[in-house]
Amino acid sequence: MPTPSAPVTPPLPYTPRYPIRTERLDLRPVTPDDLPAIHAYQRRPEVCRYLYWGPLDEAGSRASVAAKAARTTLREPGDLLQLAVVVRESGTLVGDVTFVWRSSEHRQGGIGYVFHPDHAGHGYATEASRALLKLGFEELHLHRVQAELDGRNTASARLLERLGMRREGHLRENEFLDGEWSDEVVYAMLAREWRARQDERARQR
Ligand SMILES: CC(C)(COP(=O)(O)OP(=O)(O)OC[C@H]1O[C@@H](n2cnc3c(N)ncnc32)[C@H](O)[C@@H]1OP(=O)(O)O)[C@@H](O)C(=O)NCCC(=O)NCCS
């Protein structure tokens, strides 16, 4: 068992083997060709309602796609992986996910996700986010993975609860966004909870 201050393993820089495959999805690096598919949801106000950015015009999405395309490898704490989520059977890009490696010393990470509403309600975001938890706990040996959301973002809260993450905090009016005070909610999962959940899922199969 590594000590709390053990360095992240495997050795850095760490690049996952792409694509990361789930039952229905491939998670792979973003490319400039993904601009139309990604802009199709980044431009929609309802998608960005509880995000810190957007809606984006085409130039904004082009910059966002270029930034995401460069985030495929973890070199030091603070680095992100930003991956396109593609339905393997159809080749359709349905959204993108973010994994942040927050701390080596404290073995902490975070996840985020944005999906096109046309592809909501199929469990794709849950499935892709579960792959990020697996990466964090099983490849990077993190101790804890966290997600933060606007307190009004009930679809995101349901997703995190489906993943088995715990609602740990509700911060009242700690952010001033778009001219109003808003609450932030924090969910998290520990490595031992991930393992217990995996054991439970295996038993149910
Ligand atoms: C947050 C967000 C990704 C959730 O999308 P979603 O479609 O609800 O999530 P999923 O793709 O996991 O689909 C889950 C839904 O599909 C249903 N579903 C169908 N098949 C499923 C399956 N095989 N597995 C899991 N859920 C399934 C679930 O019941 C659930 O519906 P419900 O929430 O009405 O109960 C989406 O609303 C979004 O992109 N919002 C804008 C960006 C954003 O706010 N990001 C989060 C910032 S914190």
Side-chain angles (χ1 to χ4, degrees):
M1 199 59 186
T3 63
S5 58
V8 67
T9 52
L12 298 169
Y14 173 71
T15 305
R17 243 174 91 178
Y18 294 123
I20 298 170
R21 289 169 66 90
T22 68
E23 198 181 328
R24 297 173 293 175
L25 306 171
D26 284 340
L27 278 56
R28 54 131 177 100
V30 170
T31 75
D33 291 344
D34 295 326
L35 175 60
I38 291 180
H39 182 54
Y41 55 85
Q42 288 188 334
R43 70 186 177 82
R44 294 171 74 137
E46 75 273 27
V47 168
C48 305
R49 175 146 185 242
Y50 302 125
L51 304 179
Y52 291 112
W53 50 266
L56 300 182
D57 60 14
E58 199 176 320
S61 283
R62 186 170 295 108
S64 164
V65 164
K68 288 179 197 296
R71 293 177 178 143
T72 59
T73 296
L74 300 176
R75 293 184 175 80
E76 56 184 11
D79 280 353
L80 308 176
L81 303 176
Q82 292 199 303
L83 305 174
V85 179
V86 176
V87 178
R88 194 177 307 120
E89 198 174 88
S90 62
T92 309
L93 190 158
V94 291
D96 65 88
V97 289
T98 298
F99 178 87
V100 54
W101 177 36
R102 291 216 163 105
S103 164
S104 170
E105 187 188 358
H106 304 291
R107 304 209 326 261
Q108 306 285 311
I111 59 170
Y113 33 77
V114 182
F115 278 71
H116 195 303
D118 285 359
H119 304 291
H122 297 286
Y124 293 146
T126 304
E127 193 170 314
S129 302
R130 189 176 294 121
L132 297 186
L133 292 180
K134 185 169 195 277
L135 174 97
F137 289 124
E138 298 185 11
E139 301 294 323
L140 298 171
H141 305 292
L142 296 182
H143 179 63
R144 175 187 154 95
V145 175
Q146 181 168 308
E148 304 88 27
L149 55 148
D150 188 299
R152 297 163 296 180
N153 196 345
T154 50
S156 182
R158 283 200 303 277
L159 186 161
L160 295 167
E161 278 162 19
R162 267 194 301 278
L163 290 172
M165 295 179 76
R166 183 184 41 260
R167 192 179 179 99
E168 289 194 340
H170 188 132
L171 315 181
R172 302 274 172 204
E173 299 190 11
N174 73 322
E175 293 176 320
F176 191 71
L177 298 174
D178 296 330
E180 58 180 335
W181 291 107
S182 64
D183 295 359
E184 185 178 24
V185 168
V186 177
Y187 277 81
M189 181 182 264
L190 300 175
R192 60 179 176 272
E193 295 165 339
W194 168 258
R195 285 193 295 272
R197 203 167 163 89
Q198 294 316 103
D199 292 348
E200 183 60 34
R201 281 166 70 89
R203 267 198 299 278
Q204 282 170 6
R205 272 187 214 121

